[in-house]
Amino acid sequence: MESKGFRSLQLLAGEDALAASLSSNSEFLSFRAIRTLIERALRMSGDPALGLELGALQSSGTYGWLGQAIMTSRNVHQAMKVLHRFGKLQTGSLQFEFSAIESGGVLSVSELHPLGSAGVFLFESTAMAVVSLLRELTLRPTSGVWISFPFPEPDWSGRYQALGVDEVFYRSRELQIGIPSKLLNTSSITANEEAFSLAERTCEQALAERTQGLLTRQLKIMLRTCTGKYPTLEDVAATRMVSPRTIIRKLKIEGTTYQELLDDARKSLSIWLLQNTSDSIDSIAVKMGFSNQSNFSRSFRRWFGFSPSGVRRSVPPIGLPPANSPLYTETGLLRDSDKEEPVTED
């Protein structure tokens, strides 16, 4: 959107929690947040084919260790099997399945929950991203590849020429990408057995960790989209139709507590609001669910060892937080020990 002349603040207007989540690299966004971004981008740009553009911008480097495993695969067939196994590391909304057919193979991409207004965008971007990966893997044109979309032919279907595939179909049950045998058996230009083994093990470990910490991740996403009244432990338990004790027990197994997750969400949003808005500290305290500024300031000092006014961009901090304060990693402040020493010549 910025490349089209829009500012990110326009896209995020009125969505402080979403903006704060985007400033963190450590967590998945909720589907509600993704859908909000997509709807706003489509409406503001007036371009219904933004999904195609997004898919074309992505490369293997976008996908971390998953991308490493794909690119170091022996051939395209193995790369598609990697996507089948580990595609869920990239999204919680789509499921990837690869199956062999007489003429080659089919990569099927289905929705794990209703995608609604974001569906066309996500399926278009996924199709373009997979085709781009095929080209990156082989440095060859995608001859013989066909795509079937799970929606009627759109008014902008002429722009599907950018996919560079032989045929495009519509109204299928799920997104399907057909790959001919010749292309499936094509060796990857960056095949590396040792690097593949490392990437595969890392993906397996990441998948296991994600499964083990499922409740923690779900609650983190939920809390990071809240402003004002945060749900209590009892509220969360009631929503999930379990007892508060069950939530406590499961979180303990995953190595955390509900209060820690709540504090983490408040930390992230409060810092973003302090640094990126002109809201008064009192109003930010209310958004954080505190009854007054004093309680907010007290908690902020407990979290970071520093006052809320100290992280205002317009207010130079007086003194520095303790060396172990997470304020350094949250805001990018430098400790004295982090500052580069001047270079001198002997």
Side-chain angles (χ1 to χ4, degrees):
M1 288 297 287
E2 288 180 343
S3 72
K4 292 177 175 293
F6 296 92
R7 290 172 32 201
S8 57
L9 288 179
Q10 293 175 277
L11 195 63
L12 299 168
E15 292 283 346
D16 294 336
L18 174 53
S21 295
L22 282 170
S23 68
S24 169
N25 293 324
S26 60
E27 297 297 333
F28 271 74
L29 293 176
S30 68
F31 178 71
R32 186 199 71 82
I34 293 289
R35 188 179 59 217
T36 296
L37 284 172
I38 291 172
E39 289 173 347
R40 289 189 171 197
L42 292 171
R43 186 169 60 251
M44 289 169 59
S45 68
D47 183 357
L50 280 180
L52 288 175
E53 292 191 33
L54 176 63
L57 287 172
Q58 299 183 66
S59 65
S60 59
T62 310
Y63 312 118
W65 283 105
L66 173 60
Q68 291 267 16
I70 290 173
M71 292 307 297
T72 55
S73 295
R74 181 173 59 258
N75 53 29
V76 172
H77 188 274
Q78 188 177 42
M80 293 301 101
K81 290 174 70 174
V82 166
L83 197 50
H84 173 119
R85 291 173 60 195
F86 302 119
K88 61 188 71 176
L89 289 175
Q90 201 62 30
T91 174
S93 296
L94 300 174
Q95 177 171 303
F96 297 83
E97 293 187 10
F98 179 76
S99 55
I101 59 176
E102 186 175 349
S103 59
V106 174
L107 179 69
S108 300
V109 185
S110 56
E111 54 187 8
L112 290 173
H113 56 79
L115 301 179
S117 58
V120 172
F121 178 100
L122 291 173
F123 283 125
E124 285 183 343
S125 62
T126 300
M128 179 61 89
V130 171
V131 171
S132 297
L133 278 175
L134 292 175
R135 295 193 187 113
E136 189 178 354
L137 270 168
T138 64
L139 287 185
R140 293 185 180 182
T142 50
S143 301
V145 172
W146 55 265
I147 296 178
S148 185
F149 287 104
F151 47 79
E153 182 176 356
D155 295 338
W156 59 92
S157 60
R159 294 174 65 176
Y160 285 1
Q161 293 176 353
L163 289 164
V165 300
D166 282 4
E167 291 185 280
V168 178
F169 306 97
Y170 304 94
R171 298 181 183 274
S172 55
R173 188 181 46 145
E174 57 200 0
L175 172 64
Q176 294 184 325
I177 303 173
I179 306 172
S181 298
K182 184 176 180 180
L183 184 57
L184 275 180
N185 295 325
T186 300
S187 299
S188 167
I189 62 169
T190 50
N192 185 307
E193 186 174 349
E194 185 175 345
F196 174 80
S197 295
L198 173 60
E200 184 182 39
R201 288 197 305 272
T202 306
C203 286
E204 287 173 345
Q205 181 180 355
L207 197 57
E209 290 174 354
R210 185 156 295 167
T211 302
Q212 291 170 356
L214 181 60
L215 178 59
T216 297
R217 291 198 319 280
Q218 290 174 342
L219 294 185
K220 278 186 175 182
I221 291 173
M222 178 198 70
L223 290 170
R224 282 179 178 260
T225 59
C226 292
T227 53
K229 181 175 173 54
Y230 285 89
T232 64
L233 175 62
E234 289 71 22
D235 293 334
V236 172
T239 300
R240 292 175 171 267
M241 294 184 288
V242 297
S243 68
R245 183 169 295 183
T246 298
I247 299 291
I248 293 172
R249 177 176 54 81
K250 288 185 176 181
L251 289 178
K252 183 177 180 180
I253 293 173
E254 296 180 8
T256 188
T257 67
Y258 185 69
Q259 187 60 50
E260 288 175 348
L261 297 179
L262 182 57
D263 283 349
D264 182 63
R266 284 171 160 172
K267 288 177 190 178
S268 176
L269 181 55
S270 62
I271 286 175
W272 189 89
L273 290 170
L274 286 165
Q275 291 195 321
N276 294 277
T277 74
S278 58
D279 295 351
S280 67
I281 293 178
D282 191 55
S283 67
I284 291 174
V286 172
K287 287 184 177 181
M288 294 299 97
F290 290 92
S291 57
N292 57 59
Q293 181 178 330
S294 296
N295 288 339
F296 171 58
S297 296
R298 192 178 304 114
S299 292
F300 198 91
R301 282 184 177 277
R302 175 170 57 84
W303 295 335
F304 301 115
F306 214 56
S307 68
S309 60
V311 298
R312 283 285 195 190
R313 285 178 174 166
S314 58
V315 180
I318 300 174
L320 285 173
N324 61 350
S325 171
L327 191 62
Y328 293 109
T329 54
E330 293 279 358
T331 66
L333 285 174
L334 290 178
R335 297 187 295 260
D336 287 338
S337 60
D338 291 333
K339 296 176 181 177
E340 292 185 2
E341 296 291 331
V343 178
T344 58
E345 294 182 354
D346 292 332

